[in-house]
């Protein structure tokens, strides 16, 4: 509040405060047990990435401080008790092949922004098959260009993040195209309700 009031912004105790909605492309998270363990050995999940069920069917339960504190404590205690170790034994050395250092890293930033805008504009709260198909086609082009860049140039964290973002975006679009029922934050405006509280014909 103080930053808002004294930082040149509006005083929200006296005038309207602008709010921009956020798009939740995924909800639910990774299923975990009471210790934050996933089904993958030595892989834990805590916070927004986890699905604990502590707050029932609340669609964004993992934002709660109580849950974050509880599962963080449980997970940390479990890790300390089991003294997990990591090893690179058996992992082959990285070979970059014919890749070279890129002199034009603007492509990575461009595609990252492209995926962000595409998801915001075409895969928002109210979905249509036509917009989802547009997103699917454009994501295919992005993934092709990212894949070419990946194999031709040395990898870095920005490139790997972009590749992962494009893969997740494509999975979200494919899932939204396949699902014709309106449930939770998934809403297709091009399908009329069938009368069932869950399914759309």
């Amino acid at each position: 509040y103080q930053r808002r009031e004294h930082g040149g912004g509006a005083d929200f105790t006296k005038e309207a405060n602008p709010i921009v909605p956020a798009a939740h492309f995924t909800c639910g998270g990774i299923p975990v047990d009471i210790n934050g363990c996933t089904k993958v050995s030595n892989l834990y999940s805590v916070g927004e990435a986890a699905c604990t069920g502590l707050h029932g069917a609340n669609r964004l339960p993992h934002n709660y401080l109580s849950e974050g504190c509880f599962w963080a404590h449980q997970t940390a205690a479990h890790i300390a008790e089991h003294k997990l170790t990591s090893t690179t034994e058996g992992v082959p050395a990285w070979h970059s092949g014919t890749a070279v250092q890129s002199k034009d890293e603007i492509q990575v930033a461009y595609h990252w922004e492209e995926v962000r805008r595409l998801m915001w504009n075409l895969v928002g709260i109210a979905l249509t098959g036509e917009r989802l198909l547009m997103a699917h086609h454009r994501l295919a082009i992005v993934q092709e260009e990212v894949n070419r860049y990946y194999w031709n140039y040395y990898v870095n964290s920005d490139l790997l993040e972009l590749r992962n973002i494009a893969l997740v975006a494509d999975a979200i679009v494919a899932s939204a195209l396949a699902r014709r029922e309106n449930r939770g934050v998934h809403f297709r405006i091009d399908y009329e309700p069938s009368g069932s509280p869950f399914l759309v014909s």
Side-chain angles (χ1 to χ4, degrees), residues 7 14 45 54 72 78 102 115 126 128 131 147 151 159 173 178 185 197:
K14 298 176 182 171
S45 181
L54 182 66
H78 190 267
S102 172
V115 172
T128 67
R131 280 185 285 188
N147 192 53
W151 288 104
L159 176 58
V173 170
V185 293

Side-chain angles (χ1 to χ4, degrees), residues 90-111:
V91 178
W94 178 262
H95 294 288
S96 57
T98 58
V100 297
Q101 182 65 44
S102 172
K103 295 180 180 177
D104 181 20
E105 295 188 4
I106 192 68
Q107 293 180 53
V108 173
Y110 172 81
H111 285 309

Side-chain angles (χ1 to χ4, degrees), residues 99-152:
V100 297
Q101 182 65 44
S102 172
K103 295 180 180 177
D104 181 20
E105 295 188 4
I106 192 68
Q107 293 180 53
V108 173
Y110 172 81
H111 285 309
W112 196 101
E113 180 66 16
E114 184 178 17
V115 172
R116 188 187 71 80
R117 287 189 177 276
L118 181 150
M119 293 298 287
W120 179 264
N121 292 324
L122 300 179
V123 194
I125 296 171
L127 306 166
T128 67
E130 191 171 330
R131 280 185 285 188
L132 290 169
L133 284 172
M134 286 174 61
H136 176 69
H137 293 315
R138 281 160 177 74
L139 282 169
I141 293 169
V142 169
Q143 286 184 294
E144 180 183 339
E145 293 178 354
V146 168
N147 192 53
R148 176 189 54 78
Y149 194 95
Y150 177 85
W151 288 104
N152 289 338

Side-chain angles (χ1 to χ4, degrees), residues 30-40 43-45 71 75 78:
I30 305 163
V32 296
D33 65 13
I34 194 70
N35 295 309
C37 298
T38 68
K39 291 185 178 181
V40 177
L43 179 65
Y44 295 81
S45 181
W71 252 271
T75 303
H78 190 267

Side-chain angles (χ1 to χ4, degrees), residues 49-104:
C51 177
T52 63
L54 182 66
H55 292 282
N58 187 340
R59 75 180 180 91
L60 290 175
H62 317 294
N63 290 341
Y64 287 113
L65 181 60
S66 59
E67 180 169 352
C69 289
F70 175 79
W71 252 271
H73 177 269
Q74 290 291 109
T75 303
H78 190 267
I79 291 171
E81 181 183 336
H82 289 82
K83 295 183 172 50
L84 303 178
T85 58
S86 62
T87 178
T88 57
E89 185 178 332
V91 178
W94 178 262
H95 294 288
S96 57
T98 58
V100 297
Q101 182 65 44
S102 172
K103 295 180 180 177
D104 181 20

Side-chain angles (χ1 to χ4, degrees), residues 19 34 64 78 97 163 172 191:
I19 298 173
I34 194 70
Y64 287 113
H78 190 267
R163 188 179 68 155
I172 290 168
Y191 286 95

